[in-house]
Amino acid sequence: MQDRIWKISEVNSVIKEVLEGALSSFWIEAEIGTMTVHSSGHVYLVLKDESSQMKAVVWKGARLIQNLKLATGSKIEAFGAITVYEPRGEYQFTIRDIRPLGLGDLQRKFEEIKKRLLEEGLFDSSRKKKIPLLPKRIGVITSPTGAAIQDFLNIINRRFPNIHIQIYPASVQGAGAEKDLIKGIQFFNRLSPPPDVLVLTRGGGSMEDLWPFNNEALAREIFASLIPTISAVGHEIDFTICDFVADLRVPTPSSAAELVVAKQDELTEKINNLMAKLNSSINIFIEKTKRHFERLSGSYVFKDPLRMIFERVQTVDEFKTRISHAVELRIEKESSGLERLKAKLQTLNPLNVLNRGYAILQDENSGKIIDSPDTPPGTAVKAMLAGGYLNMKVLSGKYCKLDEK
Amino acid sequence: MAEKEMSFEKALERLEAIVNTMENKKLPLDDMIKNYEEGKKLTDFCSKKLTDFEKKIEILVKETDKGPVWSEFKNN
């Protein structure tokens, strides 16, 4: 090989083969040094790191570069292959896919901040302030040139123009934007009197664009704000730390405006409704009371007062009759009972026995009933008979069983 | 101070309570009239609040010692 004399084209050809073979598809991490977007739509770049640089190209990449908002100085990750341009002996990196560097880092950082603030209780629903039903003055913190304020005001103007809006101009993108946003919140909290509600808003964008709204200091400022705050950042799918800490999150700038306006319509209807109910309930009451009064005033009490007295007299008479009847009945009942008792008493009277020829003997001195033969002879005895007494003396006594005799 | 007057929310809450009482409770005439009068006042107050707005869209120009300076914001 040392003997052979090479042609340049041959060398370049080998270089192409070797390089393209060895470095056919891989990711690189780099910073954009210079960037030219050609009218053809191709994008030519110089990529670099701390010590080296390399040419690169994105065929038809103008749109992609624009969407990703890449510019000189942007850090990127790119996927592609080394290609060699033989006629000039130059190589470049042909990019097939490109993305901003650190998107993964941002996501991780976002989750970290979210977790920390969540644990600290900054997202607690119990700490959220109520959005007033009817804000008179709204403080809006946003970029005066952005799409968000246009969207917001369009809705307001179309549906509910009579409202006082104060805009605090703030940058909503790029490094340091969070400082503007924080100042805005502080400004409105200082304002005397402060607005009824704050709206923090910007349109959609990449995660990097929305990054200032994920700032921890901003989150703490929103949390500390005495004015209820609505966060309307990005599109429906975009969630920022601001959204979590704000008292209310709405998906877009337009929906923030619609929220205020919709409530307006709703409230007007509600008040009208309540007014109608108020009127109908007093009317129904008056009607009822009137009918009640008419019924009373039409009654015979007022037309024929004597009738009322007669009715009372009649009632008294009825009572009298009933009472005397009851008394009679009672007397009758009681006296028949008495007769029965008397008869019963009669049958139980011991003197009745004398009527049947028996006598009762008593010791004349002591009055004791004599029922034993063991009575000393000579004892004076008094015999009680049906017709009177006999005075007797005991001659003798003897025990015996009378039924055996 | 005008700021110290009853809030719209409070007025609305009270109004709802009054209508509820009037609809669902048997009240003597005096109370009924008292409730009605208060309710009427509250509806007037709320209706007024709902229409009593001034249109103004301003943007902060600068903050001075004397307070903020605003200018009208042109929405195109």
Side-chain angles (χ1 to χ4, degrees):
Chain A
M1 199 165 162
Q2 278 170 351
D3 300 334
R4 174 150 178 221
I5 311 292
W6 287 64
K7 280 188 166 182
I8 292 174
S9 57
E10 287 175 322
V11 175
N12 280 357
S13 176
V14 172
I15 288 175
K16 183 180 171 76
E17 215 170 290
V18 171
L19 283 187
E20 290 188 359
L23 301 165
S24 60
S25 44
F26 59 102
W27 282 97
I28 58 165
E29 180 188 316
E31 186 185 322
I32 296 174
T34 63
M35 184 168 74
T36 315
V37 180
H38 203 267
S39 58
S40 62
H42 305 317
V43 181
Y44 301 96
L45 311 133
V46 175
L47 301 179
K48 59 177 191 178
D49 60 16
E50 300 79 31
S51 55
S52 290
Q53 60 179 46
M54 178 173 72
K55 284 186 175 173
V57 64
V58 194
W59 304 120
K60 298 283 179 197
R63 191 64 180 273
L64 181 63
I65 296 293
Q66 197 192 353
N67 284 348
L68 293 173
K69 299 202 172 72
L70 296 178
T72 301
S74 298
K75 298 222 168 45
I76 54 134
E77 286 167 344
F79 182 78
I82 294 293
T83 51
V84 175
Y85 185 51
E86 286 183 54
R88 300 181 64 154
E90 287 177 356
Y91 71 90
Q92 63 184 2
F93 186 57
T94 302
I95 295 170
R96 291 210 289 274
D97 192 8
I98 188 167
R99 66 186 184 204
L101 176 70
L103 207 60
D105 281 352
L106 286 185
Q107 192 62 45
R108 211 169 315 119
K109 223 164 155 187
F110 174 85
E111 294 300 338
E112 262 172 39
I113 296 173
K114 187 177 154 193
K115 182 163 179 268
R116 185 163 57 244
L117 297 185
L118 178 75
E119 278 166 4
E120 274 187 46
L122 264 71
F123 304 158
D124 284 4
S125 51
S126 62
R127 301 295 301 266
K128 298 214 181 288
K129 293 174 279 296
K130 260 190 164 170
I131 304 297
L133 285 178
L134 201 60
K136 262 183 114 92
R137 189 152 49 91
I138 303 175
V140 183
I141 302 168
T142 191
S143 159
T145 55
I149 189 67
Q150 296 302 334
D151 290 354
F152 185 83
L153 291 178
N154 282 343
I155 300 280
I156 294 283
N157 279 328
R158 200 164 70 227
R159 293 175 57 180
F160 181 49
N162 295 330
I163 201 157
H164 189 173
I165 291 167
Q166 293 179 315
I167 301 164
Y168 183 93
S171 71
V172 290
Q173 185 169 333
E178 70 277 359
K179 292 199 181 74
D180 263 16
L181 299 169
I182 290 171
K183 273 193 220 153
I185 292 169
Q186 289 170 341
F187 166 77
F188 280 120
N189 273 280
R190 253 195 333 266
L191 205 58
S192 174
D196 302 308
V197 64
L198 285 187
V199 178
L200 213 66
T201 187
R202 68 147 284 153
S206 68
M207 186 161 198
E208 274 181 314
D209 291 344
L210 302 183
W211 192 248
F213 291 87
N214 292 323
N215 181 272
E216 188 172 337
L218 174 61
R220 293 187 186 281
E221 200 62 49
I222 292 172
F223 185 71
S225 169
L226 298 175
I227 308 164
T229 306
I230 298 174
S231 168
V233 179
H235 296 307
E236 281 85 348
I237 49 159
D238 301 321
F239 268 93
T240 63
I241 298 292
C242 264
D243 290 332
F244 293 117
V245 76
D247 299 301
L248 182 70
R249 184 253 177 185
V250 293
T252 62
S254 302
S255 41
E258 270 159 8
L259 181 92
V260 181
V261 178
K263 275 192 177 161
Q264 179 74 17
D265 296 347
E266 242 171 65
L267 288 171
T268 308
E269 200 184 310
K270 193 168 184 178
I271 297 293
N272 289 341
N273 223 330
L274 284 170
M275 191 148 41
K277 278 184 174 176
L278 191 70
N279 284 330
S280 80
S281 60
I282 193 79
N283 286 340
I284 288 169
F285 179 80
I286 287 170
E287 202 50 46
K288 246 194 211 158
T289 311
K290 218 167 99 189
R291 268 207 308 277
H292 189 56
F293 175 73
E294 276 166 359
R295 205 168 55 239
L296 288 178
S297 61
S299 132
Y300 66 86
V301 177
F302 295 101
K303 285 185 177 159
D304 186 5
L306 267 185
R307 189 172 140 194
M308 209 166 67
I309 294 172
F310 290 154
E311 270 180 7
R312 293 284 189 280
V313 170
Q314 194 181 351
T315 313
V316 171
D317 285 349
E318 262 168 30
F319 269 117
K320 264 184 177 168
T321 313
R322 274 168 63 190
I323 288 169
S324 57
H325 194 73
V327 168
E328 276 164 21
L329 214 68
R330 181 70 181 267
I331 289 172
E332 205 173 283
K333 197 172 155 194
E334 296 296 327
S335 45
S336 74
L338 200 61
E339 285 305 319
R340 225 169 31 243
L341 282 174
K342 265 183 180 168
K344 214 169 183 180
L345 209 57
Q346 197 63 33
T347 59
L348 291 175
N349 188 348
L351 296 179
N352 262 0
V353 181
L354 303 185
N355 284 336
R356 283 187 267 153
Y358 294 91
I360 298 168
L361 301 184
Q362 282 175 293
D363 186 306
E364 184 139 359
N365 297 321
S366 67
K368 266 184 165 169
I369 297 291
I370 296 170
D371 57 0
S372 158
D374 188 18
T375 307
T379 306
V381 169
K382 190 175 172 187
M384 202 188 296
L385 307 172
Y389 298 96
L390 287 175
N391 290 319
M392 303 184 295
K393 273 198 170 142
V394 175
L395 299 175
S396 66
K398 180 191 174 192
Y399 283 97
C400 69
K401 285 197 174 162
L402 288 179
D403 51 356
E404 280 174 4
K405 225 171 94 176
Chain B
M1 232 166 77
E3 294 296 316
K4 285 286 167 214
E5 72 181 352
M6 195 186 212
S7 75
F8 179 82
E9 283 89 342
K10 275 260 154 26
L12 187 63
E13 204 175 287
R14 177 82 189 119
L15 179 58
E16 280 178 321
I18 284 173
V19 169
N20 202 26
T21 308
M22 285 177 72
E23 282 187 336
N24 299 319
K25 275 196 188 157
K26 273 202 142 180
L27 292 180
L29 181 64
D30 271 0
D31 290 353
M32 204 65 187
I33 289 171
K34 254 185 229 152
N35 270 300
Y36 176 74
E37 280 174 348
E38 193 185 346
K40 192 80 191 44
K41 264 187 209 147
L42 288 168
T43 53
D44 290 348
F45 173 82
C46 288
S47 300
K48 189 164 165 287
K49 280 259 166 188
L50 275 167
T51 49
D52 184 22
F53 284 93
E54 55 166 343
K55 174 183 178 150
K56 223 193 264 180
I57 300 176
E58 307 171 300
I59 184 161
L60 181 70
V61 179
K62 60 178 174 185
E63 258 194 289
T64 67
D65 296 342
K66 286 175 198 154
V69 178
W70 300 95
S71 78
E72 196 192 333
F73 183 73
K74 294 264 191 283
N75 180 33
N76 34 38

